[in-house]
Amino acid sequence: MADFSITDSIIGIAGAGFRLSLVLNAVGVEMATADIEIQSIARAISEYAFTLKQLALTLDSAKSIATQSAMETAKQIADQSRVVFEDIKEMTELNQKKDDRGNLQSIAVAQRVKWCFKKQRVNYLLGQLESLKLSLSIMLQVLQMGQSIIRTR
């Protein structure tokens, strides 16, 4: 059985990715000029978080063949993704003020201009996230194949 603290941590980071994706979608609705870009970022983060969660569930399964090294590598990748999530959150200025109904207030022109300059950095962070996702996908496929081999014996 996998180390619960590692898989719980990975699932927690995946949850943070899902929450970031939801907030990005909400901000995208408010920013008419960047809504497609932000929704694309949100979708990429959501897909990454799903892959991260799948890996954690596979590591946690009773039939997991994961070594301690694989567990530590998965944790390192998850920790790297947390940093990327935090950077993206900062870059997209998600700490928006809310009105008395809890809705995001409209985004000022100055913030829209800032977004144009920050977009390059966000794209770089998304590239990093995609690289991490590929590593997770490979690890996930190897673990699933190992489980499949063990079941057929």
Side-chain angles (χ1 to χ4, degrees), residues 13-148:
I13 294 169
F18 286 126
R19 286 188 299 278
L20 177 60
S21 175
L22 290 173
V23 173
L24 280 168
N25 277 318
V27 170
V29 169
E30 295 294 321
M31 285 182 70
T33 60
D35 63 303
I36 293 172
E37 296 156 345
I38 290 179
Q39 288 173 1
S40 176
I41 293 167
R43 188 173 28 263
I45 291 171
S46 183
E47 290 169 0
Y48 176 83
F50 178 76
T51 303
L52 190 60
K53 183 179 176 184
Q54 284 301 114
L55 177 66
L57 294 174
T58 301
L59 288 170
D60 200 32
S61 72
K63 297 176 184 171
S64 179
I65 59 167
T67 64
Q68 187 61 33
S69 176
M71 297 290 288
E72 290 169 4
T73 299
K75 174 78 168 90
Q76 289 172 352
I77 292 170
D79 288 342
Q80 289 174 3
S81 63
R82 180 190 330 225
V83 171
V84 173
F85 290 160
E86 290 168 0
D87 285 352
I88 290 173
K89 186 175 181 179
E90 285 178 26
M91 298 302 287
T92 55
E93 298 179 352
L94 298 180
N95 298 323
Q96 300 295 319
K97 294 181 182 178
K98 295 184 178 185
D99 62 18
D100 31 336
R101 289 188 239 159
N103 297 323
L104 288 173
Q105 291 181 348
S106 58
I107 296 170
V109 174
Q111 289 175 312
R112 292 179 190 186
V113 171
K114 285 181 188 177
W115 166 250
C116 291
F117 290 105
K118 292 179 179 181
K119 196 164 72 170
Q120 295 284 5
R121 173 80 174 143
V122 171
N123 287 335
Y124 167 76
L125 292 170
L126 286 175
Q128 255 187 309
L129 203 58
E130 186 63 26
S131 174
L132 294 171
K133 181 180 165 188
L134 290 172
S135 297
L136 290 175
S137 296
I138 291 169
M139 185 179 287
L140 181 60
Q141 291 299 314
V142 168
L143 289 170
Q144 289 174 339
M145 185 174 62
Q147 286 177 330
S148 180

Side-chain angles (χ1 to χ4, degrees), residues 6-21:
I6 290 177
T7 56
D8 289 345
S9 174
I10 292 171
I11 288 175
I13 294 169
F18 286 126
R19 286 188 299 278
L20 177 60
S21 175

